[in-house]
Amino acid sequence: MDGIIITARLKSTRLLKKVIIKVEDKTILNYLIDRIKNQSDIPIYLCTSQETEDDPLINLSNESKINYFRGDAEDVLNRYYECMNFFNLDNVYIVYADEPFIDVDLLKLSFDQLKNSKKPSWIRNDDYVDGVFGYGFNYSALKMVNNLKTSDNNEVWGEMVSKMPLKIIKNFCPYKIKKDKVRLTIDYKDDLDVFEKIILEIRDNYKSMNIEEIINVYNKLRLYQINLHRANDYNLRIKSQSI
């Protein structure tokens, strides 16, 4: 069985409890869930920690009628693996709760690629613009990753996984814009301001608009003037965490 894993915690410090911040009376996480549900019938699983600070996420998952799994706070890879075991999943696509404009077409493509792969496989989509892509794993790949991981503190795990003997399937961004010219993730107040302006512009169309249409709105409103500078801050922070 396939499953979409939404990674969510409430420990953020730059933008406090960002995934349950409300924009137009809807949380950031709900925007993501609604967008996926509107375009796909693949089951969604919220994957969070056992820390009490994350209890509000469980309430939200129940209200949204999606399953949830609670695991280790720091060992994210083990949390994914245990979630796959608990729900008997064969293939997963991992997305992040602070990226509500997920590219569902890319998500579906990744599942098709996993179904056609017999080897432990990792779908890498990080050529796409920030805030729209996730990563795919089949069960044998995530089992290998969990066994071979070099640290139990692995919130930033990409560099570690890239060194493992996995079949890597890399998808390249087809949008008519460079990756470094758009930022659709939410990590800072500037990013939240951008998201809010897009939602005010497109309203309920957030559920169905494709990524190129959303990027056109981003450019039309010149939102790159607000948050694009944050990309460098984010990349430096991720690099420091992966050393």
Side-chain angles (χ1 to χ4, degrees):
M1 187 170 71
D2 295 337
I4 300 163
I5 291 179
I6 298 179
T7 306
R9 291 289 316 274
L10 294 179
K11 66 173 187 175
S12 56
T13 56
R14 286 163 303 283
L15 192 56
L16 190 63
K17 297 182 179 180
K18 58 185 176 181
V19 302
I20 58 172
I21 291 175
K22 288 190 174 182
V23 173
E24 295 291 289
D25 295 323
K26 188 187 298 289
T27 68
I28 301 298
L29 178 54
N30 276 125
Y31 278 102
L32 172 61
I33 293 170
D34 288 351
R35 181 170 170 83
I36 295 173
K37 282 186 173 182
N38 186 69
Q39 300 183 51
S40 167
D41 58 2
I42 300 171
I44 302 170
Y45 303 90
L46 186 138
C47 194
T48 190
S49 84
Q50 297 173 343
E51 300 296 315
T52 56
E53 67 180 355
D54 290 324
D55 288 350
L57 293 171
I58 306 307
N59 297 332
L60 194 151
S61 67
N62 288 331
E63 292 169 2
S64 301
K65 297 181 180 179
I66 64 171
N67 288 306
Y68 67 85
F69 181 82
R70 307 189 79 164
D72 190 278
E74 305 301 331
D75 193 343
V76 179
L77 292 172
N78 188 62
R79 199 191 312 158
Y80 294 154
Y81 178 59
E82 288 186 340
C83 181
M84 285 194 81
N85 279 318
F86 188 82
F87 291 107
N88 196 28
L89 302 177
D90 301 305
N91 303 299
V92 294
Y93 191 77
I94 296 166
V95 300
Y96 300 92
D98 56 2
E99 299 185 345
F101 290 132
I102 195 71
D103 187 330
V104 183
D105 289 334
L106 176 61
L107 179 154
K108 293 175 180 177
L109 169 64
S110 297
F111 276 118
D112 287 341
Q113 292 167 325
L114 287 171
K115 289 174 183 175
N116 291 325
S117 180
K118 303 302 181 183
K119 297 180 179 179
S121 300
W122 174 31
I123 310 291
R124 289 193 64 171
N125 295 318
D126 46 10
D127 181 64
Y128 280 65
V129 300
D130 288 339
V132 308
F133 66 88
Y135 298 96
F137 289 95
N138 54 19
Y139 181 82
S140 58
L142 202 46
K143 181 178 181 180
M144 178 188 294
V145 166
N146 197 46
N147 287 338
L148 296 180
K149 67 191 177 194
T150 55
S151 172
D152 289 337
N153 189 335
N154 49 59
E155 181 178 5
V156 180
W157 46 262
E159 184 175 342
M160 182 195 307
V161 172
S162 67
K163 298 174 183 177
M164 296 181 184
L166 298 167
K167 177 182 178 182
I168 297 177
I169 302 170
K170 188 171 178 62
N171 291 310
F172 293 94
C173 184
Y175 314 145
K176 297 175 182 178
I177 190 166
K178 292 183 178 179
K179 172 182 170 68
D180 60 358
K181 299 299 182 183
V182 182
R183 179 174 167 82
L184 294 174
T185 191
I186 302 175
D187 201 47
Y188 300 90
K189 178 60 167 59
D190 295 337
D191 299 323
L192 180 63
D193 291 343
V194 164
F195 177 74
E196 186 169 19
K197 290 180 184 300
I198 294 175
I199 291 300
L200 289 173
E201 179 74 12
I202 68 177
R203 298 295 177 175
D204 276 353
N205 290 321
Y206 76 87
K207 297 178 183 177
S208 57
M209 286 180 72
N210 65 40
I211 298 301
E212 286 193 279
E213 291 172 325
I214 293 172
I215 288 173
N216 287 339
V217 173
Y218 180 89
N219 287 328
K220 182 184 76 170
L221 300 178
R222 298 185 178 183
L223 300 179
Y224 46 81
Q225 296 178 347
I226 298 175
N227 78 332
L228 197 56
H229 69 285
R230 287 299 188 181
N232 187 55
D233 299 339
Y234 178 80
N235 290 333
L236 288 174
R237 179 169 63 85
I238 293 299
K239 184 177 180 180
S240 68
Q241 291 178 347
S242 62
I243 293 176

